[in-house]
Amino acid sequence: MDTRRHFLKGVVAGGAAITSAAVAPPACARETHSRPAEALGLLYDATLCIGCKACVAACKEANNNPPEFSTEDRLWDTPLDTSGYTFNIIKMYRNGTMQTKDAEVNGFAFMKTSCMHCADPSCVSACPVSAMTKDPATGIVAYDPGACVGCRYCVVACPFGIPKYQYDSPTGKIGKCELCRHRYADGHYSACAEVCPTGATLYGRSADLLLEAKRRIALKPGSVTRYPRGKIGGPDQSYEGPVGNYLQHVYGEKEFGGTQVLKLSAVTFAKVGMPDLPPKSSAATSETLQHSLYGGLVMPVVVLGALSFIAKRNVHDEDDESGTDKDKGEK
Ligand code: SF4
Ligand code: SF4
Ligand code: SF4
């Protein structure tokens, strides 16, 4: 028993010493990655959204996803949240009498939920087999079901709760928006933006979308402006409409290191379900820590070697002490 106690004491003391040495501030913390220059994305403007959910139906069709039912009649596709088979959903904020659109008090508002295509995605960083990858040119975060081992690290890592596991699938894969990259070869783009009647969901280069978002929030509420529809820089489908009472905040410009999907709203983002995130991505933080601890596999080898040495020494010390007592007893 004493031997085991000495062993554990040595392990704890040795582990603490090694750990405190190893977690000293890393010499070179990894910077948060930025969006590629030609990054593609979406701009969702909640003040233009009428909640028609044409984008939800178009997303289902474009991705060949089955309907999901939340009503007993099972007549319509009525998902309540994103899932392994629902990559895009429009949620509704409600308050009090719900009289006024885009009012926080006694109002209602809409918010789109789909992959944000983060500049520095934690799903990519967490995936141990590179089934989640970020395209260096377009920045699209893509998923490869052939490489996926179903560990669901990406599900846990995403701060937006986006990757979802297909529990009923025999192969158990992940489902998430890939910005409709499979449609580009035929001259199409994101189905949700193609179908949106008001331009509330707009597709394009993230840099152009950010400029458009900043143009909108600089306008006077109630004035009239032109809103593009479909694809920014594509065929002109623009129309004139009143300017909403925007928050002075482009969600996704800075959050979590920046995202390629950007959002505008008149209702506080936290109230419409968007998380309050710091400007640094968690991928940068976790990779810095991992690389500090495990760089070149030095850390595990050092820890194992040191712990073995301490354990052996304590066991020897104990044997020596026992031997002395025994000798004494024999005398
Ligand atoms: S299609 Fe456009 S207007 Fe309709 S719910 Fe989707 S984002 Fe809103
Ligand atoms: S929103 Fe989530 S799933 Fe999409 S890129 Fe960012 S971390 Fe990955
Ligand atoms: S880009 Fe495509 S997959 Fe992503 S939300 Fe829009 S329609 Fe769905």
PDB file of all heavy atoms in Angstrom, residues 3 242 247 267 276 308 326:
ATOM      1  N   THR A   3       3.867   1.419  -1.047  1.00  0.00           N
ATOM      2  CA  THR A   3       4.525   1.538  -2.350  1.00  0.00           C
ATOM      3  C   THR A   3       3.631   2.284  -3.333  1.00  0.00           C
ATOM      4  O   THR A   3       4.061   3.191  -4.019  1.00  0.00           O
ATOM      5  CB  THR A   3       4.826   0.132  -2.890  1.00  0.00           C
ATOM      6  OG1 THR A   3       5.604  -0.540  -1.940  1.00  0.00           O
ATOM      7  CG2 THR A   3       5.583   0.207  -4.203  1.00  0.00           C
ATOM      8  N   PRO A 242     -37.602  50.406 -49.094  1.00  0.00           N
ATOM      9  CA  PRO A 242     -37.252  51.256 -47.955  1.00  0.00           C
ATOM     10  C   PRO A 242     -36.108  50.657 -47.127  1.00  0.00           C
ATOM     11  O   PRO A 242     -35.956  49.443 -47.058  1.00  0.00           O
ATOM     12  CB  PRO A 242     -38.546  51.311 -47.134  1.00  0.00           C
ATOM     13  CG  PRO A 242     -39.288  50.074 -47.517  1.00  0.00           C
ATOM     14  CD  PRO A 242     -38.885  49.714 -48.910  1.00  0.00           C
ATOM     15  N   LEU A 247     -29.192  47.622 -37.100  1.00  0.00           N
ATOM     16  CA  LEU A 247     -28.163  47.754 -36.067  1.00  0.00           C
ATOM     17  C   LEU A 247     -26.873  48.127 -36.792  1.00  0.00           C
ATOM     18  O   LEU A 247     -26.651  47.668 -37.923  1.00  0.00           O
ATOM     19  CB  LEU A 247     -27.922  46.406 -35.363  1.00  0.00           C
ATOM     20  CG  LEU A 247     -29.072  45.775 -34.592  1.00  0.00           C
ATOM     21  CD1 LEU A 247     -28.669  44.360 -34.184  1.00  0.00           C
ATOM     22  CD2 LEU A 247     -29.401  46.607 -33.362  1.00  0.00           C
ATOM     23  N   VAL A 267     -32.923  43.619 -35.024  1.00  0.00           N
ATOM     24  CA  VAL A 267     -33.088  43.101 -33.657  1.00  0.00           C
ATOM     25  C   VAL A 267     -31.737  42.542 -33.199  1.00  0.00           C
ATOM     26  O   VAL A 267     -31.035  41.885 -33.984  1.00  0.00           O
ATOM     27  CB  VAL A 267     -34.179  41.996 -33.623  1.00  0.00           C
ATOM     28  CG1 VAL A 267     -34.260  41.325 -32.268  1.00  0.00           C
ATOM     29  CG2 VAL A 267     -35.536  42.593 -34.007  1.00  0.00           C
ATOM     30  N   ASP A 276     -22.807  35.332 -29.274  1.00  0.00           N
ATOM     31  CA  ASP A 276     -21.883  36.451 -29.080  1.00  0.00           C
ATOM     32  C   ASP A 276     -20.466  35.862 -29.014  1.00  0.00           C
ATOM     33  O   ASP A 276     -20.114  35.211 -28.052  1.00  0.00           O
ATOM     34  CB  ASP A 276     -22.255  37.125 -27.748  1.00  0.00           C
ATOM     35  CG  ASP A 276     -21.560  38.458 -27.588  1.00  0.00           C
ATOM     36  OD1 ASP A 276     -20.928  38.908 -28.556  1.00  0.00           O
ATOM     37  OD2 ASP A 276     -21.651  39.031 -26.483  1.00  0.00           O
ATOM     38  N   SER A 308       7.928   7.595 -15.763  1.00  0.00           N
ATOM     39  CA  SER A 308       8.487   6.250 -15.544  1.00  0.00           C
ATOM     40  C   SER A 308       9.661   6.326 -14.570  1.00  0.00           C
ATOM     41  O   SER A 308       9.784   5.508 -13.653  1.00  0.00           O
ATOM     42  CB  SER A 308       8.982   5.652 -16.867  1.00  0.00           C
ATOM     43  OG  SER A 308       7.946   5.618 -17.774  1.00  0.00           O
ATOM     44  N   LYS A 326      13.234  -4.950   7.383  1.00  0.00           N
ATOM     45  CA  LYS A 326      13.277  -6.410   7.501  1.00  0.00           C
ATOM     46  C   LYS A 326      14.590  -6.831   8.168  1.00  0.00           C
ATOM     47  O   LYS A 326      14.605  -7.654   9.078  1.00  0.00           O
ATOM     48  CB  LYS A 326      13.175  -6.997   6.094  1.00  0.00           C
ATOM     49  CG  LYS A 326      12.881  -8.471   6.065  1.00  0.00           C
ATOM     50  CD  LYS A 326      12.710  -8.928   4.635  1.00  0.00           C
ATOM     51  CE  LYS A 326      12.946 -10.417   4.556  1.00  0.00           C
ATOM     52  NZ  LYS A 326      13.308 -10.812   3.214  1.00  0.00           N
TER      53      LYS A 326
END
